[in-house]
Amino acid sequence: GENVEQHPSTLSVQEGDSAVIKCTYSDSASNYFPWYKQELGKGPQLIIDIRSNVGEKKDQRIAVTLNKTAKHFSLHITETQPEDSAVYFCAASNGGLTGGGNKLTFGTGTQLKVEL
Amino acid sequence: TGVTQSPTHLIKTRGQQVTLSCSPISGHRSVSWYQQTPGQGLQFLFEYFSETQRNKGNFPGRFSGRQFSNSRSEMNVSTLELGDSALYLCASSLVDSGNTIYFGEGSWLTVV
């Protein structure tokens, strides 16, 4: 089955700096890669996603890049703010054209702390 | 409105059983369940589409679920063990495969 590794487990940055979280996956059939932000006591909130036919996607301060050859994808947050502090999870799925359903395999999470 | 789950918190005794409920986003027909614990992270339990289980994770048979004709879903855990204490998350998606997946706030289960 799919295995997703995520690094780093903790990340501390100064407000205004950039943050980068990296994930690798094992199943070449995976074609959908979402990122979720989870605040304390809440459920995961989708912040951005990318499909395998796209190499990069950007939404304001957040961007995701995908390298299918190397089987890794990364989350980039620019101009970090204190409210960006949370746990971030990457995930992979082989749904879509392969009809693999909506099963997500998650990374182990990154605790991001944005310091003033 | 988003994915809604109930109850939000509950405490059960070892050996009891529990039923958790999930209402997907309006129009979404796929519902999946995940267990989140500090030690194991987020793990897939099962997924339902059109009242049929499409995928199943590696959990014992004590964990079961079902989906109703209105796409609402329930999951049941029988003979509760201390290790079942976790946040149980429901997620919904518009179609049966490859679409964006949204999560609810979860049901916090404590087994004592």
Side-chain angles (χ1 to χ4, degrees):
Chain A
E2 174 68 278
N3 181 52
V4 177
E5 294 190 356
Q6 182 172 347
H7 300 281
S9 57
T10 60
L11 179 59
S12 184
V13 299
Q14 294 292 316
E15 183 181 8
D17 287 349
S18 296
V20 180
I21 303 171
K22 299 182 179 181
C23 289
T24 60
Y25 62 98
S26 61
D27 187 355
S28 56
S30 289
N31 56 17
Y32 175 62
F33 307 92
W35 285 88
Y36 291 88
K37 174 184 180 183
Q38 188 174 28
E39 296 176 329
L40 197 61
K42 295 190 174 184
Q45 175 192 3
L46 179 72
I47 56 172
I48 196 167
D49 58 7
I50 192 168
R51 300 184 190 278
S52 59
N53 59 346
V54 176
E56 183 174 359
K57 183 177 179 181
K58 188 175 181 180
D59 182 4
Q60 298 183 339
R61 298 186 297 109
I62 296 173
V64 57
T65 59
L66 171 65
N67 183 325
K68 287 191 295 183
T69 303
K71 294 184 191 167
H72 67 70
F73 55 113
S74 300
L75 177 71
H76 305 253
I77 305 175
T78 59
E79 301 172 19
T80 54
Q81 302 167 2
E83 50 265 39
D84 294 329
S85 296
V87 179
Y88 290 80
F89 291 95
C90 63
S93 169
N94 66 354
L97 295 178
T98 62
N102 290 312
K103 173 184 176 180
L104 290 172
T105 301
F106 281 89
T108 50
T110 297
Q111 175 73 62
L112 173 64
K113 182 178 181 181
V114 180
E115 299 177 332
L116 297 173
Chain B
T1 59
V3 179
T4 57
Q5 294 186 242
S6 63
T8 55
H9 294 80
L10 70 166
I11 300 174
K12 289 287 188 177
T13 303
R14 193 170 44 182
Q16 287 186 316
Q17 66 93 25
V18 66
T19 299
L20 307 177
S21 180
C22 173
S23 292
I25 293 171
S26 178
H28 283 198
R29 297 171 60 194
S30 167
V31 174
S32 48
W33 291 87
Y34 292 78
Q35 181 196 64
Q36 186 174 24
T37 61
Q40 299 299 316
L42 280 150
Q43 292 189 294
F44 173 80
L45 281 158
F46 29 66
E47 180 203 0
Y48 288 87
F49 181 79
S50 292
E51 302 177 65
T52 301
Q53 187 180 87
R54 289 178 51 86
N55 284 299
K56 189 177 189 305
N58 297 321
F59 280 82
R62 300 185 297 106
F63 292 81
S64 63
R66 58 178 176 168
Q67 186 181 33
F68 302 97
S69 58
N70 61 359
S71 294
R72 194 176 67 83
S73 177
E74 290 180 347
M75 67 162 284
N76 184 278
V77 187
S78 63
T79 318
L80 284 166
E81 300 177 358
L82 297 179
D84 296 333
S85 295
L87 175 65
Y88 289 88
L89 292 160
C90 174
S92 78
S93 181
L94 186 61
V95 295
D96 64 338
S97 187
N99 210 272
T100 307
I101 299 167
Y102 299 93
F103 282 83
E105 299 290 11
S107 293
W108 290 90
L109 171 65
T110 301
V111 182
V112 297

